Amino acid sequence: MVVELPVGATIPSKGNLTQEKYQNTNLIVSQADADKLAQQGKKLYQAGDFALAVKSLQQAIDKFELSGDTLHQAVSLSNLSSAYQKLGLWEDADSAITNSLNLLQELNSSLENLRYIAKALDVRGHLEFARGQTQFALATWREAGDIYKSLDDTSNLINNRIDRAQVLQILGHFRRANQVLNGLEEVINSQSDFSLRAEGLRNLGNILAVIDDLKESNRILKLSLENAKYSGSNIEISKTLLSLANLARLQHKTPLAIDYYKQAIRRSNNLDIRLQSQLNLLSLLINTKQYTEIELLVSQIHPELNYLTISRPEVNAKINFVHNLIKLRNEGGENRKLFKSVSSYKPAQILAKAIKHARELKDKRAESYAIGTLGDLYKQDGRFSEAEKLTKRALFIAQTVHALDISYQWEWQMGILLQQDGKTQDAIAHYEKAIKTLQYLRKDLISINTDIQFSFTQSVEPVYRELLELLLQEKAPNSENLKLARNTIESLQLAELDDFFRSACLNSSEIVDTLIEQQDPHSAVIYPIILSKSLDVILKVPGQSNLLHYKTAINKEELESTVVKLREYLKNVSRTADVKRLSGKVYQWMIKPFETELAKSRIKTLVFVLDGELRNIPMSVLYDGQQDKYLIEKYAISITPGLQLLDTKIRDQLELNVLTGGVDREISIDGKTFPPLTNVERELKNIQSEVSNSKILVNQKFTEVNLHNQLQTIPFSVVHLATHGEFSSDPQNTFILTWNELLKSRKFDNLLRETNGYNSFKDPNSIDLLVLSACQTAQGDRRAALGLAGVALKAGARSTIATLWSVDDEHTADLMNKFYSELKTGVNKTEALHQAQLGILGQEKRPYFWAPFVLMGNWL
């Protein structure tokens, strides 16, 4: 951010100076020059020329100091800090803002001086946020916000509250983030200037999109567009159209996103905004393989790159354009022909210009991006030696300015290049560094918003997957590679959940085997890892330091096709024979190789850390054709996103104190109609008969408000909800049905977490067990189980029982009755569910009725 220079400050601007007032002519000239330099520095900053901005601001600061103009000096120091931040010079930025605040504190406490203190605090907050010091940033912005509020400075307070909400979201405090944003729309609409309204609403809409309130984001951005049109400013109109396009893209509404991008392009008379819209549209067209429009768009973008003034946005635009050309080259068929037609644009020359301009700007971040991208281009051309040199250089530059969000990409690229050169161990080392950097960046990745497009599936997940391919490429990997592979798949699970939540709010630790070595020595952990040409299974059994491993040669496509079909057959009561046939295949791949070892180790419980499509099927249904038994008939079964996410503290035996709730009527909400669950009341009353210390909320009483009040009043150890719900890879489509609303994922898990007064799912006062007995994973959603894992973990419960599909509620009621009956005897949760499922299986052999129940989390 840049702070406006004071008007009417201690020493007037040049136009107000008179010889009578200031006899020292040299001082007058110095002050006028200082004002000019300060304004020039501000303009250079806004144009993206941060190095020249630093130079002008430093000269201005020196002149203000000589003239004794403390206020102008302090404000220019704030702007200098902002410029240093853009260049990644964190120590210089810290020194500048510290000096600015020290000078401001020396001045009198006039309202105007207080306003500049608040603005300097905003700058410090941005510095702390950029350095990953999110808690400090939050405190600093809160202090600035208090000043703005006391001054009734509405416009600055709006942006301050948006900044605070973003930090709270990243920290996982979604309820508090919403509280900060609550009422902000009304504050913005109180502004008389339509342009200011449009800008404020757009910023609010953008942050709502970041915290996944997409419906509200869409409403606010449309209001922003209305105000922009009233203002008559094409710049404001095109900026909001661009935000609406990005939102539609996030919602996977491709035709709508394309339409908004095209509108932004047509309305924009600002080259930077038009180019950003064109480049975003180009990447969307490439991702959705709409080749007919690509060639024309590329021909429109290319000449406009030459009209940009030298700045960071100009350098990033050139890099972005070349990234898209590289994507075109990597595609086959028609796209390859298209690349030939656009190859005359000479991407290497475009990047050479970008590198030259970045160096002129002394912008190390931009220089690193440009050099590394040129290395990527040379890699695609097979010029591996040159690519390696460029990538090393790009990595070195990124590390000098601590640009970790860039560094991991070049570590990853080095891994690819070294693997290509046959240097496997060196490649593994670089992949490890890339992943360690990604783990350090967990919070920052969620909020990255650069001109270079960011996508988890394109920019993060492949780093983990490619390392796994390297580590497990041998039929019998060594023990170190197996250990690293286990750590990598656990880390990938955590990264996927962070991406699902759009926050890094889950606490994690190193993998420890305390649970199976000390607390439950009869359990084993199984990691099936889906690679491009094999399924690799890693097994950890207690009492053995080395991991066991088995590889099955099978293409990823064949494995996933088998699992998808199995999932479909499981939901059809008449396809039990097909279920046995396909689940038998999966049994052969995952369990059969370890049967002897499991028997030898006297294993009673199998804990699965599932990968990819395997998450969408219950492991209990895996079928051993030889003994004519399902896996549930041999073992108790649990799943977990990873041991690093589990609470390993030993707890006393579970004291049953149950809050139950549900809906048994037909309900229509938000255009969806949910059929009645006629056995819900019987299910809840059965629980009450088994557990005397319980509370029931049914139908009209089953509301978010009543749940909130009950959870605040009594620390329930179990929350059991018998109602419709759906788990999806999209948090917006993950919900629990109450009497009067669809309780979305974020609101639901905040309800359970914050009403109990804790913020960590490892807190000793957290809910021990959450039961969701009539929910299902979304049909056709390959990553729907992320929603299940997300609800389980974010709710703060140590364990969660849920259903992968909505099953006959009569059998559900019977199973739950048996589950609580077993739980009362003192057995652990996994064994209680095991016995309950066996009880249903004894009456009804078809897996449809007993297989969908899964226990996730700590199985003890």
Side-chain angles (χ1 to χ4, degrees), residues 82-342:
S82 292
Y84 277 139
Q85 288 178 45
K86 290 293 186 180
L87 293 170
L89 301 174
W90 309 118
E91 298 303 323
D92 291 329
D94 184 59
S95 175
I97 196 58
T98 299
N99 289 337
S100 173
L101 283 164
N102 288 340
L103 290 173
L104 288 168
Q105 297 292 347
E106 293 173 4
L107 298 173
N108 63 57
S109 56
S110 68
L111 296 182
E112 193 63 18
N113 289 345
L114 278 175
R115 180 173 283 105
Y116 286 107
I117 288 173
K119 290 182 176 181
L121 288 169
D122 269 341
V123 173
R124 167 171 277 177
H126 281 285
L127 173 61
E128 291 164 340
F129 181 70
R131 301 179 81 176
Q133 300 167 340
T134 46
Q135 293 283 7
F136 288 108
L138 182 61
T140 300
W141 278 332
R142 189 183 295 115
E143 185 180 353
D146 289 342
I147 296 174
Y148 290 136
K149 190 174 181 180
S150 71
L151 297 173
D152 199 23
D153 187 342
T154 304
S155 58
N156 281 309
L157 182 60
I158 289 168
N159 290 328
N160 175 272
R161 284 171 67 175
I162 288 171
D163 286 336
R164 285 159 60 195
Q166 184 177 10
V167 173
L168 286 166
Q169 184 272 337
I170 287 169
L171 292 171
H173 304 313
F174 304 114
R175 188 181 291 268
R176 289 172 61 193
N178 288 332
Q179 288 171 347
V180 168
L181 295 176
N182 186 37
L184 195 54
E185 179 185 353
E186 185 179 344
V187 174
I188 293 169
N189 286 330
S190 69
Q191 302 286 296
S192 58
D193 188 317
F194 285 115
S195 291
L196 287 177
R197 284 193 201 176
E199 180 184 6
L201 289 167
R202 183 173 59 252
N203 291 339
L204 175 58
N206 288 339
I207 191 64
L208 287 167
V210 169
I211 66 175
D212 274 334
D213 195 345
L214 305 186
K215 185 177 180 180
E216 187 67 1
S217 173
N218 184 61
R219 185 184 70 81
I220 294 293
L221 287 175
K222 285 182 176 177
L223 286 176
S224 171
L225 184 59
E226 287 179 18
N227 281 276
K229 288 177 178 177
Y230 281 127
S231 76
S233 168
N234 274 329
I235 288 181
E236 292 300 326
I237 292 170
S238 55
K239 282 182 176 180
T240 301
L241 285 167
L242 177 56
S243 289
L244 280 164
N246 292 336
L247 175 63
R249 185 173 183 172
L250 189 63
Q251 294 172 302
H252 308 293
K253 298 178 179 178
T254 300
L256 182 61
I258 290 173
D259 181 58
Y260 276 134
Y261 281 133
K262 288 181 176 178
Q263 287 187 56
I265 292 164
R266 286 195 300 269
R267 292 300 297 261
S268 179
N269 51 15
N270 178 285
L271 181 57
D272 288 335
I273 299 170
R274 185 167 68 250
L275 255 177
Q276 190 175 346
S277 302
Q278 288 173 319
L279 288 164
N280 285 6
L281 174 58
L282 177 60
S283 69
L284 179 57
L285 292 173
I286 293 172
N287 288 344
T288 54
K289 304 185 185 301
Q290 300 188 45
Y291 302 132
T292 54
E293 296 188 51
I294 290 174
E295 189 169 357
L296 175 61
L297 185 57
V298 169
S299 69
Q300 292 170 344
I301 294 171
H302 182 255
E304 292 195 333
L305 292 171
N306 297 318
Y307 296 121
L308 291 168
T309 56
I310 297 175
S311 62
R312 176 181 285 180
E314 174 255 353
V315 173
N316 281 346
K318 286 182 166 65
I319 297 169
N320 196 328
F321 182 65
V322 173
H323 268 301
N324 284 306
L325 294 183
I326 292 173
K327 281 184 187 177
L328 288 172
R329 169 181 287 183
N330 289 340
E331 297 289 337
E334 182 182 352
N335 205 347
R336 200 171 279 278
K337 294 177 185 176
L338 175 62
F339 184 81
K340 287 182 180 178
S341 71
V342 299

